Short mmCIF file of all heavy atoms in Angstrom, two decimals:
data_model
loop_
_atom_site.label_atom_id
_atom_site.label_comp_id
_atom_site.label_asym_id
_atom_site.label_seq_id
_atom_site.Cartn_x
_atom_site.Cartn_y
_atom_site.Cartn_z
N MET I 89 -80.05 -59.70 115.63
CA MET I 89 -80.82 -60.78 115.00
C MET I 89 -79.90 -61.65 114.14
O MET I 89 -79.19 -61.13 113.30
CB MET I 89 -81.93 -60.17 114.14
CG MET I 89 -83.17 -61.03 114.07
SD MET I 89 -84.40 -60.22 113.06
CE MET I 89 -84.81 -61.54 111.95
N PRO I 90 -79.89 -62.92 114.37
CA PRO I 90 -78.99 -63.77 113.58
C PRO I 90 -79.46 -63.88 112.14
O PRO I 90 -80.66 -63.97 111.88
CB PRO I 90 -79.06 -65.13 114.29
CG PRO I 90 -80.15 -65.03 115.29
CD PRO I 90 -80.74 -63.67 115.26
N ARG I 91 -78.51 -63.86 111.27
CA ARG I 91 -78.84 -63.98 109.87
C ARG I 91 -79.03 -65.44 109.49
O ARG I 91 -78.31 -66.31 109.96
CB ARG I 91 -77.71 -63.41 109.00
CG ARG I 91 -77.84 -61.91 108.81
CD ARG I 91 -76.74 -61.44 107.91
NE ARG I 91 -75.44 -61.73 108.46
CZ ARG I 91 -74.31 -61.70 107.76
NH1 ARG I 91 -74.36 -61.42 106.47
NH2 ARG I 91 -73.16 -61.95 108.31
N THR I 92 -80.00 -65.67 108.64
CA THR I 92 -80.20 -67.02 108.14
C THR I 92 -79.36 -67.20 106.89
O THR I 92 -79.39 -66.36 105.99
CB THR I 92 -81.68 -67.27 107.81
OG1 THR I 92 -82.45 -66.93 108.94
CG2 THR I 92 -81.92 -68.71 107.44
N ARG I 93 -78.61 -68.26 106.85
CA ARG I 93 -77.80 -68.54 105.68
C ARG I 93 -78.40 -69.68 104.89
O ARG I 93 -79.13 -70.50 105.41
CB ARG I 93 -76.38 -68.91 106.10
CG ARG I 93 -75.66 -67.76 106.74
CD ARG I 93 -74.29 -68.22 107.18
NE ARG I 93 -73.52 -67.11 107.70
CZ ARG I 93 -72.88 -66.23 106.91
NH1 ARG I 93 -72.91 -66.34 105.61
NH2 ARG I 93 -72.21 -65.23 107.44
N ILE I 94 -78.05 -69.70 103.63
CA ILE I 94 -78.53 -70.76 102.75
C ILE I 94 -77.35 -71.67 102.43
O ILE I 94 -76.27 -71.19 102.10
CB ILE I 94 -79.10 -70.17 101.44
CG1 ILE I 94 -80.23 -69.17 101.74
CG2 ILE I 94 -79.57 -71.26 100.50
CD1 ILE I 94 -81.51 -69.77 102.25
N CYS I 95 -77.57 -72.94 102.50
CA CYS I 95 -76.51 -73.89 102.21
C CYS I 95 -76.09 -73.78 100.73
O CYS I 95 -76.94 -73.77 99.85
CB CYS I 95 -77.00 -75.31 102.50
SG CYS I 95 -75.81 -76.58 102.10
N SER I 96 -74.79 -73.67 100.52
CA SER I 96 -74.29 -73.50 99.15
C SER I 96 -74.54 -74.73 98.29
O SER I 96 -74.54 -74.64 97.07
CB SER I 96 -72.78 -73.23 99.17
OG SER I 96 -72.52 -72.05 99.88
N PHE I 97 -74.74 -75.84 98.91
CA PHE I 97 -74.91 -77.07 98.13
C PHE I 97 -76.38 -77.47 97.98
O PHE I 97 -76.88 -77.55 96.88
CB PHE I 97 -74.11 -78.20 98.74
CG PHE I 97 -74.04 -79.41 97.86
CD1 PHE I 97 -73.23 -79.40 96.73
CD2 PHE I 97 -74.78 -80.53 98.13
CE1 PHE I 97 -73.18 -80.50 95.89
CE2 PHE I 97 -74.74 -81.63 97.30
CZ PHE I 97 -73.93 -81.61 96.19
N CYS I 98 -77.05 -77.69 99.09
CA CYS I 98 -78.41 -78.23 98.97
C CYS I 98 -79.47 -77.14 98.90
O CYS I 98 -80.60 -77.40 98.52
CB CYS I 98 -78.70 -79.19 100.12
SG CYS I 98 -78.91 -78.42 101.71
N GLY I 99 -79.14 -75.90 99.27
CA GLY I 99 -80.09 -74.81 99.13
C GLY I 99 -81.03 -74.64 100.30
O GLY I 99 -81.94 -73.82 100.26
N LYS I 100 -80.82 -75.42 101.34
CA LYS I 100 -81.68 -75.31 102.51
C LYS I 100 -81.20 -74.18 103.42
O LYS I 100 -80.03 -73.82 103.41
CB LYS I 100 -81.62 -76.61 103.31
CG LYS I 100 -82.51 -77.68 102.73
CD LYS I 100 -82.54 -78.86 103.68
CE LYS I 100 -83.04 -80.10 102.96
NZ LYS I 100 -82.43 -81.32 103.46
N GLU I 101 -82.11 -73.69 104.22
CA GLU I 101 -81.74 -72.68 105.20
C GLU I 101 -80.92 -73.32 106.31
O GLU I 101 -81.22 -74.43 106.74
CB GLU I 101 -82.98 -72.03 105.79
CG GLU I 101 -83.60 -71.02 104.86
CD GLU I 101 -84.79 -70.32 105.51
OE1 GLU I 101 -85.04 -70.53 106.71
OE2 GLU I 101 -85.46 -69.58 104.79
N ILE I 102 -79.93 -72.59 106.77
CA ILE I 102 -79.10 -73.10 107.85
C ILE I 102 -79.49 -72.37 109.13
O ILE I 102 -79.51 -71.14 109.16
CB ILE I 102 -77.61 -72.86 107.55
CG1 ILE I 102 -77.23 -73.49 106.21
CG2 ILE I 102 -76.75 -73.40 108.69
CD1 ILE I 102 -75.88 -73.05 105.70
N GLU I 103 -79.83 -73.12 110.15
CA GLU I 103 -80.19 -72.49 111.41
C GLU I 103 -78.98 -71.81 112.01
O GLU I 103 -77.89 -72.35 111.99
CB GLU I 103 -80.71 -73.56 112.38
CG GLU I 103 -82.14 -73.94 112.08
CD GLU I 103 -82.66 -74.94 113.10
OE1 GLU I 103 -82.44 -74.73 114.30
OE2 GLU I 103 -83.26 -75.93 112.68
N PRO I 104 -79.19 -70.62 112.57
CA PRO I 104 -78.08 -69.90 113.18
C PRO I 104 -77.41 -70.75 114.25
O PRO I 104 -78.08 -71.40 115.05
CB PRO I 104 -78.74 -68.68 113.82
CG PRO I 104 -80.01 -68.51 113.05
CD PRO I 104 -80.44 -69.89 112.64
N GLY I 105 -76.09 -70.77 114.21
CA GLY I 105 -75.36 -71.56 115.19
C GLY I 105 -75.01 -72.95 114.69
O GLY I 105 -74.26 -73.67 115.32
N THR I 106 -75.55 -73.33 113.54
CA THR I 106 -75.20 -74.63 112.98
C THR I 106 -74.55 -74.44 111.62
O THR I 106 -74.51 -73.33 111.09
CB THR I 106 -76.45 -75.52 112.81
OG1 THR I 106 -77.29 -74.93 111.82
CG2 THR I 106 -77.21 -75.68 114.10
N GLY I 107 -74.07 -75.51 111.07
CA GLY I 107 -73.49 -75.44 109.75
C GLY I 107 -72.01 -75.12 109.77
O GLY I 107 -71.45 -74.79 110.81
N VAL I 108 -71.40 -75.22 108.62
CA VAL I 108 -69.97 -74.96 108.51
C VAL I 108 -69.71 -73.95 107.41
O VAL I 108 -70.46 -73.84 106.45
CB VAL I 108 -69.18 -76.27 108.22
CG1 VAL I 108 -69.06 -77.10 109.46
CG2 VAL I 108 -69.83 -77.04 107.09
N MET I 109 -68.63 -73.23 107.57
CA MET I 109 -68.25 -72.24 106.58
C MET I 109 -66.94 -72.69 105.95
O MET I 109 -66.05 -73.19 106.63
CB MET I 109 -68.05 -70.91 107.29
CG MET I 109 -68.11 -69.75 106.37
SD MET I 109 -68.03 -68.28 107.39
CE MET I 109 -68.59 -67.09 106.22
N TYR I 110 -66.85 -72.54 104.66
CA TYR I 110 -65.64 -72.97 103.95
C TYR I 110 -65.18 -71.84 103.05
O TYR I 110 -65.96 -71.33 102.25
CB TYR I 110 -65.96 -74.23 103.14
CG TYR I 110 -64.78 -74.77 102.38
CD1 TYR I 110 -63.92 -75.69 102.96
CD2 TYR I 110 -64.52 -74.33 101.08
CE1 TYR I 110 -62.83 -76.18 102.26
CE2 TYR I 110 -63.42 -74.82 100.37
CZ TYR I 110 -62.58 -75.75 100.97
OH TYR I 110 -61.51 -76.21 100.27
N VAL I 111 -63.94 -71.46 103.19
CA VAL I 111 -63.39 -70.40 102.32
C VAL I 111 -62.33 -71.01 101.42
O VAL I 111 -61.36 -71.60 101.87
CB VAL I 111 -62.76 -69.27 103.17
CG1 VAL I 111 -62.29 -68.14 102.25
CG2 VAL I 111 -63.74 -68.76 104.19
N ARG I 112 -62.56 -70.87 100.14
CA ARG I 112 -61.61 -71.40 99.18
C ARG I 112 -60.39 -70.48 99.06
O ARG I 112 -60.45 -69.32 99.42
CB ARG I 112 -62.30 -71.54 97.82
CG ARG I 112 -62.07 -72.87 97.17
CD ARG I 112 -63.06 -73.15 96.09
NE ARG I 112 -63.21 -72.04 95.14
CZ ARG I 112 -64.00 -72.10 94.07
NH1 ARG I 112 -64.68 -73.17 93.82
NH2 ARG I 112 -64.12 -71.07 93.28
N LYS I 113 -59.34 -70.98 98.50
CA LYS I 113 -58.12 -70.18 98.36
C LYS I 113 -58.35 -68.91 97.56
O LYS I 113 -57.69 -67.91 97.75
CB LYS I 113 -57.02 -71.01 97.69
CG LYS I 113 -56.34 -71.94 98.66
CD LYS I 113 -55.24 -72.72 97.96
CE LYS I 113 -54.83 -73.92 98.79
NZ LYS I 113 -54.48 -75.08 97.98
N ASP I 114 -59.27 -68.96 96.63
CA ASP I 114 -59.53 -67.76 95.81
C ASP I 114 -60.48 -66.78 96.49
O ASP I 114 -60.85 -65.77 95.92
CB ASP I 114 -60.04 -68.16 94.42
CG ASP I 114 -61.40 -68.84 94.47
OD1 ASP I 114 -62.02 -68.87 95.55
OD2 ASP I 114 -61.85 -69.35 93.44
N GLY I 115 -60.87 -67.08 97.71
CA GLY I 115 -61.69 -66.14 98.47
C GLY I 115 -63.18 -66.39 98.42
O GLY I 115 -63.95 -65.72 99.08
N THR I 116 -63.60 -67.35 97.61
CA THR I 116 -65.02 -67.68 97.54
C THR I 116 -65.47 -68.33 98.84
O THR I 116 -64.81 -69.25 99.33
CB THR I 116 -65.30 -68.65 96.38
OG1 THR I 116 -64.64 -68.17 95.22
CG2 THR I 116 -66.80 -68.76 96.12
N VAL I 117 -66.56 -67.84 99.39
CA VAL I 117 -67.05 -68.37 100.65
C VAL I 117 -68.26 -69.26 100.42
O VAL I 117 -69.21 -68.87 99.75
CB VAL I 117 -67.42 -67.24 101.62
CG1 VAL I 117 -67.96 -67.80 102.93
CG2 VAL I 117 -66.21 -66.34 101.89
N PHE I 118 -68.20 -70.44 100.94
CA PHE I 118 -69.34 -71.34 100.89
C PHE I 118 -69.84 -71.57 102.30
O PHE I 118 -69.06 -71.61 103.24
CB PHE I 118 -68.94 -72.70 100.31
CG PHE I 118 -68.46 -72.65 98.89
CD1 PHE I 118 -67.12 -72.87 98.58
CD2 PHE I 118 -69.35 -72.40 97.86
CE1 PHE I 118 -66.67 -72.82 97.27
CE2 PHE I 118 -68.91 -72.36 96.54
CZ PHE I 118 -67.56 -72.57 96.25
N THR I 119 -71.14 -71.73 102.43
CA THR I 119 -71.68 -72.14 103.72
C THR I 119 -72.44 -73.44 103.50
O THR I 119 -73.14 -73.60 102.51
CB THR I 119 -72.65 -71.08 104.28
OG1 THR I 119 -73.54 -70.65 103.24
CG2 THR I 119 -71.90 -69.88 104.82
N PHE I 120 -72.27 -74.35 104.43
CA PHE I 120 -72.93 -75.64 104.31
C PHE I 120 -73.72 -75.95 105.56
O PHE I 120 -73.29 -75.62 106.67
CB PHE I 120 -71.88 -76.74 104.08
CG PHE I 120 -71.07 -76.54 102.83
CD1 PHE I 120 -69.75 -76.15 102.91
CD2 PHE I 120 -71.63 -76.73 101.59
CE1 PHE I 120 -68.99 -75.95 101.76
CE2 PHE I 120 -70.90 -76.54 100.43
CZ PHE I 120 -69.57 -76.15 100.52
N CYS I 121 -74.87 -76.59 105.38
CA CYS I 121 -75.70 -76.92 106.53
C CYS I 121 -75.12 -78.09 107.30
O CYS I 121 -75.39 -78.27 108.46
CB CYS I 121 -77.13 -77.23 106.07
SG CYS I 121 -77.27 -78.67 105.01
N SER I 122 -74.33 -78.91 106.63
CA SER I 122 -73.77 -80.08 107.29
C SER I 122 -72.49 -80.50 106.60
O SER I 122 -72.20 -80.06 105.48
CB SER I 122 -74.77 -81.24 107.24
OG SER I 122 -74.97 -81.60 105.90
N SER I 123 -71.75 -81.38 107.27
CA SER I 123 -70.51 -81.86 106.66
C SER I 123 -70.82 -82.74 105.45
O SER I 123 -69.98 -82.94 104.59
CB SER I 123 -69.68 -82.63 107.69
OG SER I 123 -70.45 -83.66 108.26
N LYS I 124 -72.04 -83.23 105.39
CA LYS I 124 -72.46 -84.02 104.24
C LYS I 124 -72.41 -83.17 102.97
O LYS I 124 -71.86 -83.57 101.96
CB LYS I 124 -73.89 -84.52 104.49
CG LYS I 124 -74.46 -85.37 103.39
CD LYS I 124 -75.92 -85.65 103.72
CE LYS I 124 -76.66 -86.34 102.59
NZ LYS I 124 -78.11 -86.41 102.85
N CYS I 125 -72.96 -81.97 103.08
CA CYS I 125 -72.95 -81.05 101.94
C CYS I 125 -71.54 -80.60 101.61
O CYS I 125 -71.17 -80.50 100.46
CB CYS I 125 -73.84 -79.85 102.23
SG CYS I 125 -75.57 -80.25 102.21
N GLU I 126 -70.76 -80.34 102.65
CA GLU I 126 -69.38 -79.92 102.44
C GLU I 126 -68.61 -80.99 101.69
O GLU I 126 -67.90 -80.72 100.74
CB GLU I 126 -68.73 -79.64 103.80
CG GLU I 126 -67.33 -79.10 103.67
CD GLU I 126 -66.63 -78.98 105.01
OE1 GLU I 126 -67.17 -79.40 106.03
OE2 GLU I 126 -65.51 -78.45 105.01
N ARG I 127 -68.79 -82.22 102.15
CA ARG I 127 -68.07 -83.33 101.53
C ARG I 127 -68.45 -83.49 100.06
O ARG I 127 -67.60 -83.68 99.19
CB ARG I 127 -68.40 -84.62 102.28
CG ARG I 127 -67.20 -85.49 102.46
CD ARG I 127 -67.44 -86.70 103.34
NE ARG I 127 -68.78 -87.19 103.34
CZ ARG I 127 -69.54 -87.31 104.44
NH1 ARG I 127 -69.06 -86.96 105.60
NH2 ARG I 127 -70.75 -87.79 104.37
N ASN I 128 -69.74 -83.38 99.78
CA ASN I 128 -70.20 -83.56 98.41
C ASN I 128 -69.63 -82.50 97.48
O ASN I 128 -69.25 -82.78 96.36
CB ASN I 128 -71.72 -83.53 98.37
CG ASN I 128 -72.31 -84.89 98.58
OD1 ASN I 128 -72.49 -85.64 97.64
ND2 ASN I 128 -72.60 -85.22 99.81
N MET I 129 -69.59 -81.27 97.95
CA MET I 129 -69.16 -80.19 97.07
C MET I 129 -67.64 -80.07 97.00
O MET I 129 -67.08 -79.92 95.92
CB MET I 129 -69.74 -78.86 97.57
CG MET I 129 -69.55 -77.75 96.58
SD MET I 129 -70.91 -76.61 96.70
CE MET I 129 -70.33 -75.30 95.66
N ILE I 130 -66.98 -80.13 98.14
CA ILE I 130 -65.54 -79.89 98.16
C ILE I 130 -64.76 -81.15 97.78
O ILE I 130 -63.89 -81.12 96.91
CB ILE I 130 -65.09 -79.41 99.57
CG1 ILE I 130 -65.91 -78.18 100.00
CG2 ILE I 130 -63.60 -79.13 99.59
CD1 ILE I 130 -65.77 -76.98 99.11
N LYS I 131 -65.08 -82.24 98.42
CA LYS I 131 -64.28 -83.45 98.19
C LYS I 131 -64.72 -84.22 96.95
O LYS I 131 -63.93 -84.62 96.13
CB LYS I 131 -64.37 -84.37 99.42
CG LYS I 131 -63.23 -84.15 100.38
CD LYS I 131 -63.24 -85.22 101.44
CE LYS I 131 -62.13 -86.22 101.20
NZ LYS I 131 -62.16 -87.27 102.25
N LEU I 132 -66.02 -84.40 96.84
CA LEU I 132 -66.52 -85.22 95.73
C LEU I 132 -66.75 -84.39 94.49
O LEU I 132 -66.99 -84.91 93.42
CB LEU I 132 -67.80 -85.94 96.15
CG LEU I 132 -67.69 -86.78 97.43
CD1 LEU I 132 -69.04 -87.32 97.84
CD2 LEU I 132 -66.73 -87.93 97.22
N LYS I 133 -66.72 -83.05 94.66
CA LYS I 133 -66.90 -82.12 93.53
C LYS I 133 -68.17 -82.41 92.73
O LYS I 133 -68.18 -82.41 91.51
CB LYS I 133 -65.67 -82.17 92.60
CG LYS I 133 -64.42 -81.64 93.27
CD LYS I 133 -63.32 -81.46 92.24
CE LYS I 133 -62.12 -80.75 92.80
NZ LYS I 133 -61.40 -81.55 93.81
N ARG I 134 -69.22 -82.69 93.46
CA ARG I 134 -70.49 -82.96 92.79
C ARG I 134 -71.20 -81.67 92.45
O ARG I 134 -71.08 -80.67 93.16
CB ARG I 134 -71.39 -83.79 93.69
CG ARG I 134 -70.91 -85.20 93.82
CD ARG I 134 -72.01 -86.07 94.39
NE ARG I 134 -71.52 -87.45 94.49
CZ ARG I 134 -71.80 -88.24 95.52
NH1 ARG I 134 -72.55 -87.82 96.51
NH2 ARG I 134 -71.34 -89.46 95.55
N LYS I 135 -71.96 -81.69 91.40
CA LYS I 135 -72.79 -80.56 91.04
C LYS I 135 -74.13 -80.73 91.77
O LYS I 135 -74.73 -81.81 91.68
CB LYS I 135 -73.03 -80.51 89.53
CG LYS I 135 -71.77 -80.25 88.74
CD LYS I 135 -71.51 -78.75 88.63
CE LYS I 135 -70.24 -78.47 87.85
NZ LYS I 135 -69.00 -78.74 88.59
N SER I 136 -74.57 -79.67 92.47
CA SER I 136 -75.78 -79.81 93.26
C SER I 136 -76.98 -80.17 92.39
O SER I 136 -77.91 -80.81 92.84
CB SER I 136 -76.05 -78.54 94.04
OG SER I 136 -76.12 -77.43 93.20
N ARG I 137 -76.94 -79.78 91.11
CA ARG I 137 -78.08 -80.08 90.25
C ARG I 137 -78.18 -81.57 89.93
O ARG I 137 -79.20 -82.04 89.46
CB ARG I 137 -77.94 -79.33 88.92
CG ARG I 137 -78.21 -77.86 89.08
CD ARG I 137 -77.46 -77.12 88.00
NE ARG I 137 -78.38 -76.38 87.15
CZ ARG I 137 -78.05 -75.98 85.92
NH1 ARG I 137 -76.87 -76.24 85.45
NH2 ARG I 137 -78.90 -75.31 85.20
N LYS I 138 -77.11 -82.29 90.15
CA LYS I 138 -77.12 -83.72 89.82
C LYS I 138 -77.36 -84.58 91.05
O LYS I 138 -77.39 -85.80 90.95
CB LYS I 138 -75.79 -84.12 89.19
CG LYS I 138 -75.40 -83.22 88.05
CD LYS I 138 -75.21 -83.98 86.77
CE LYS I 138 -75.07 -83.01 85.62
NZ LYS I 138 -75.03 -83.58 84.32
N VAL I 139 -77.47 -83.96 92.21
CA VAL I 139 -77.65 -84.72 93.44
C VAL I 139 -79.10 -84.59 93.89
O VAL I 139 -79.62 -83.48 94.05
CB VAL I 139 -76.69 -84.21 94.53
CG1 VAL I 139 -76.86 -85.03 95.81
CG2 VAL I 139 -75.25 -84.30 94.05
N GLU I 140 -79.73 -85.74 94.05
CA GLU I 140 -81.18 -85.79 94.24
C GLU I 140 -81.74 -85.02 95.42
O GLU I 140 -82.87 -84.56 95.35
CB GLU I 140 -81.62 -87.25 94.37
CG GLU I 140 -81.58 -87.98 93.04
CD GLU I 140 -81.95 -89.45 93.21
OE1 GLU I 140 -82.70 -89.75 94.14
OE2 GLU I 140 -81.47 -90.27 92.42
N TRP I 141 -81.00 -84.90 96.50
CA TRP I 141 -81.57 -84.30 97.70
C TRP I 141 -81.35 -82.80 97.80
O TRP I 141 -81.51 -82.22 98.86
CB TRP I 141 -81.08 -85.04 98.94
CG TRP I 141 -79.62 -85.37 98.94
CD1 TRP I 141 -79.06 -86.52 98.48
CD2 TRP I 141 -78.56 -84.53 99.38
NE1 TRP I 141 -77.70 -86.45 98.63
CE2 TRP I 141 -77.37 -85.25 99.17
CE3 TRP I 141 -78.49 -83.24 99.93
CZ2 TRP I 141 -76.12 -84.72 99.49
CZ3 TRP I 141 -77.25 -82.72 100.26
CH2 TRP I 141 -76.08 -83.46 100.03
N THR I 142 -80.98 -82.12 96.72
CA THR I 142 -80.76 -80.68 96.80
C THR I 142 -81.92 -79.90 96.19
O THR I 142 -82.69 -80.43 95.38
CB THR I 142 -79.47 -80.28 96.05
OG1 THR I 142 -79.65 -80.55 94.66
CG2 THR I 142 -78.28 -81.04 96.57
N GLU I 143 -82.02 -78.64 96.58
CA GLU I 143 -83.03 -77.76 96.02
C GLU I 143 -82.80 -77.55 94.53
O GLU I 143 -83.72 -77.49 93.74
CB GLU I 143 -83.00 -76.40 96.72
CG GLU I 143 -83.74 -76.34 98.04
CD GLU I 143 -85.23 -76.59 97.88
OE1 GLU I 143 -85.85 -76.00 96.99
OE2 GLU I 143 -85.77 -77.38 98.66
N ALA I 144 -81.53 -77.41 94.17
CA ALA I 144 -81.17 -77.16 92.77
C ALA I 144 -81.67 -78.29 91.88
O ALA I 144 -82.15 -78.05 90.76
CB ALA I 144 -79.66 -76.99 92.64
N TYR I 145 -81.57 -79.50 92.38
CA TYR I 145 -82.02 -80.66 91.62
C TYR I 145 -83.53 -80.61 91.43
O TYR I 145 -84.05 -80.80 90.33
CB TYR I 145 -81.62 -81.93 92.34
CG TYR I 145 -82.05 -83.21 91.64
CD1 TYR I 145 -81.23 -83.82 90.71
CD2 TYR I 145 -83.27 -83.79 91.93
CE1 TYR I 145 -81.62 -84.98 90.06
CE2 TYR I 145 -83.68 -84.96 91.30
CZ TYR I 145 -82.84 -85.55 90.37
OH TYR I 145 -83.24 -86.70 89.74
N ARG I 146 -84.23 -80.31 92.52
CA ARG I 146 -85.69 -80.23 92.45
C ARG I 146 -86.15 -79.17 91.47
O ARG I 146 -87.07 -79.38 90.70
CB ARG I 146 -86.27 -79.95 93.83
CG ARG I 146 -86.57 -81.22 94.60
CD ARG I 146 -87.35 -80.92 95.85
NE ARG I 146 -86.46 -80.38 96.89
CZ ARG I 146 -85.87 -81.14 97.79
NH1 ARG I 146 -86.10 -82.42 97.82
NH2 ARG I 146 -85.07 -80.62 98.68
N LYS I 147 -85.49 -78.03 91.51
CA LYS I 147 -85.86 -76.94 90.59
C LYS I 147 -85.61 -77.34 89.15
O LYS I 147 -86.43 -77.13 88.28
CB LYS I 147 -85.05 -75.68 90.92
CG LYS I 147 -85.72 -74.85 91.99
CD LYS I 147 -84.93 -73.60 92.28
CE LYS I 147 -85.31 -73.07 93.65
NZ LYS I 147 -84.22 -72.30 94.26
N GLU I 148 -84.47 -77.92 88.91
CA GLU I 148 -84.10 -78.36 87.57
C GLU I 148 -85.10 -79.38 87.06
O GLU I 148 -85.54 -79.34 85.93
CB GLU I 148 -82.69 -78.95 87.62
CG GLU I 148 -82.26 -79.57 86.31
CD GLU I 148 -81.12 -78.82 85.68
OE1 GLU I 148 -81.02 -77.60 85.90
OE2 GLU I 148 -80.33 -79.45 84.97
N LYS I 149 -85.47 -80.30 87.92
CA LYS I 149 -86.40 -81.35 87.55
C LYS I 149 -87.78 -80.76 87.26
O LYS I 149 -88.43 -81.13 86.30
CB LYS I 149 -86.50 -82.35 88.70
CG LYS I 149 -86.86 -83.75 88.24
CD LYS I 149 -86.84 -84.66 89.43
CE LYS I 149 -87.49 -85.98 89.09
NZ LYS I 149 -87.74 -86.76 90.30
N ALA I 150 -88.19 -79.81 88.08
CA ALA I 150 -89.49 -79.19 87.90
C ALA I 150 -89.58 -78.50 86.55
O ALA I 150 -90.60 -78.53 85.89
CB ALA I 150 -89.74 -78.19 89.03
N VAL I 151 -88.47 -77.90 86.15
CA VAL I 151 -88.46 -77.22 84.86
C VAL I 151 -88.55 -78.23 83.73
O VAL I 151 -89.26 -78.03 82.76
CB VAL I 151 -87.17 -76.36 84.73
CG1 VAL I 151 -87.01 -75.83 83.30
CG2 VAL I 151 -87.22 -75.20 85.72
N ARG I 152 -87.82 -79.33 83.89
CA ARG I 152 -87.78 -80.34 82.83
C ARG I 152 -89.12 -81.03 82.64
O ARG I 152 -89.49 -81.39 81.54
CB ARG I 152 -86.73 -81.39 83.18
CG ARG I 152 -85.49 -81.24 82.33
CD ARG I 152 -84.58 -82.42 82.55
NE ARG I 152 -83.43 -82.07 83.34
CZ ARG I 152 -82.86 -82.93 84.20
NH1 ARG I 152 -83.34 -84.11 84.40
NH2 ARG I 152 -81.80 -82.56 84.87
N VAL I 153 -89.85 -81.20 83.71
CA VAL I 153 -91.13 -81.92 83.64
C VAL I 153 -92.16 -81.14 82.82
O VAL I 153 -92.97 -81.71 82.13
CB VAL I 153 -91.64 -82.22 85.07
CG1 VAL I 153 -93.09 -82.68 85.04
CG2 VAL I 153 -90.78 -83.29 85.71
N LYS I 154 -92.09 -79.83 82.90
CA LYS I 154 -93.09 -79.01 82.20
C LYS I 154 -93.16 -79.14 80.71
O LYS I 154 -92.45 -79.29 79.95
CB LYS I 154 -92.80 -77.53 82.52
CG LYS I 154 -93.52 -77.11 83.77
CD LYS I 154 -93.26 -75.65 84.05
CE LYS I 154 -93.56 -75.35 85.51
NZ LYS I 154 -93.12 -74.00 85.88
ZN1 ZN J 386 -76.84 -78.47 102.75
#
């Protein structure tokens, strides 16, 4: 049974067979649903909580609204 992975950046589930895996020099493994997420986290060094289309942002916002 294929394992479902969660995107390290946007928090969405990644369908088996899709997505990209990124291993940093220090051994930390990231999985991304798309190169868009990879680019945002690795190249642009964005925090997922500050990017509108991520789960982390939605959660953060939901907490703040209360
Ligand atoms: Zn993603």
